[in-house]
Amino acid sequence: GTSSSTASPPRNRGPPRLEAVAARVCTRLVEKGLLKTKPAFVRTDREAGICALLRKAGLEGADLTAYNDRRSLELRLQSALNGEACAWL
């Protein structure tokens, strides 16, 4: 049959997608005053950078939700940064 527009996406219960996580991180940065919303490319670029970092750290799919303590996750992300500064981490 055809799917209706009110049906839930099939991935709804799976692990969060990198793009969704990056968008949530950027929303929190905006709320805290650490990221500007204008011009729009600033947020778009930041989201892309966060996705790239998560991918580089190997945090896709179930690996993204496997951490139960913040410090271990921070260490994994920092190792993917190779010494670069990251204000949101």
Side-chain angles (χ1 to χ4, degrees):
T2 60
S3 64
S4 70
S5 61
T6 58
S8 296
R11 296 182 55 142
N12 198 26
R13 294 185 177 260
R17 293 179 54 227
L18 294 182
E19 294 80 6
V21 172
R24 280 184 269 168
V25 169
C26 286
T27 297
R28 294 280 298 161
L29 291 173
V30 168
E31 290 170 353
K32 291 180 175 189
L34 298 173
L35 180 64
K36 297 181 183 203
T37 57
K38 305 276 184 192
F41 76 86
V42 172
R43 181 174 174 143
T44 304
D45 288 353
R46 181 63 57 97
E47 285 185 18
I50 291 169
C51 279
L53 173 62
L54 293 172
R55 195 168 283 115
K56 183 176 180 182
L59 295 173
E60 294 188 72
D63 288 338
L64 200 55
T65 58
Y67 287 86
N68 55 9
D69 70 291
R70 180 181 174 160
R71 187 67 185 142
S72 295
L73 179 58
E74 286 176 352
L75 289 173
R76 186 161 180 178
L77 291 170
Q78 286 174 349
S79 69
L81 285 168
N82 294 327
E84 294 178 41
C86 184
W88 59 270
L89 187 55

